[in-house]
Amino acid sequence: MVSHADQGAVEWVESGGGPLIAIPEVVLPFWAGADGDETSSDYDRACEVEGYIGLVPVGDTRALVLGDEPASTAFLPEYGTFVRWSAADSEAALLDRVPEALSAAEWEPEVQWDVPGDVVLFDAAWPGHESARTDHVRVALEPGRYAVRAAYVEPGPEVWMGLVQVRRTGG
């Protein structure tokens, strides 16, 4: 298990102000980001997601949009959870509270996400084929169905975070 006390042990992804998106690697070339016609782009579709999470079609599958606010986000595989940094004095202060936050979370309704394999988390404004040129993180997921749920938690004084948990439910 990664020691969260080691500064920089976790990779964080930031956006330029809009939502982050986790797109299956196999359909990255189909995501145009903010590029598109004058009336609607893939980025516009991601921005239309209300609440903490939502799914949007990409190619022959769907991508997970992390909505609400453009918080720095990391994936902690030991918890199967995207952690969204809303407030904390340090990375360690935030990450040390994750177990407590997971226990205290009041989860929003789940969405079902069929995933063909690994996903890439990055700023939804970028085209998928350019995701490696910006903040991004690759998240290893086995192909299958996942239940995704989200919560906003304040587990301690001046420590606030969003949680997006991805749990495998079937093949």
Side-chain angles (χ1 to χ4, degrees):
M1 176 155 45
V2 175
S3 169
H4 299 304
D6 300 334
Q7 185 71 19
V10 174
E11 292 182 72
W12 294 93
V13 176
E14 297 191 16
S15 83
L20 296 175
I21 190 160
I23 299 180
E25 277 185 321
V26 297
V27 295
L28 274 176
F30 299 107
W31 184 258
D35 296 343
D37 64 36
E38 295 176 17
T39 58
S40 182
S41 67
D42 288 341
Y43 177 73
D44 292 330
R45 292 187 304 124
C47 289
E48 290 172 1
V49 167
E50 294 182 19
Y52 299 127
I53 56 173
L55 298 171
V56 295
V58 180
D60 62 354
T61 189
R62 296 186 298 171
L64 177 66
V65 177
L66 305 184
D68 191 38
E69 62 179 60
S72 296
T73 302
F75 185 75
L76 303 182
E78 65 271 31
Y79 302 112
T81 302
F82 292 98
V83 174
R84 311 202 70 211
W85 187 337
S86 294
D89 288 338
S90 68
E91 177 182 275
L94 181 82
L95 296 174
D96 287 348
R97 295 287 190 138
V98 168
E100 180 182 348
L102 287 166
S103 294
E106 293 182 21
W107 300 101
E108 299 280 318
E110 294 181 346
V111 298
Q112 297 299 310
W113 187 26
D114 292 319
V115 179
D118 296 347
V119 300
V120 179
L121 178 73
F122 62 99
D123 185 332
W126 283 80
H129 68 275
E130 293 187 24
S131 61
R133 294 181 42 203
T134 186
D135 272 2
H136 72 283
V137 66
R138 185 172 182 265
V139 177
L141 294 177
E142 292 292 322
R145 175 162 282 203
Y146 289 80
V148 183
R149 61 186 185 171
Y152 181 80
V153 186
E154 297 180 9
E158 298 182 27
V159 178
W160 310 330
M161 68 186 77
L163 302 170
V164 177
Q165 191 173 58
V166 180
R167 297 179 344 267
R168 184 135 189 231
T169 60

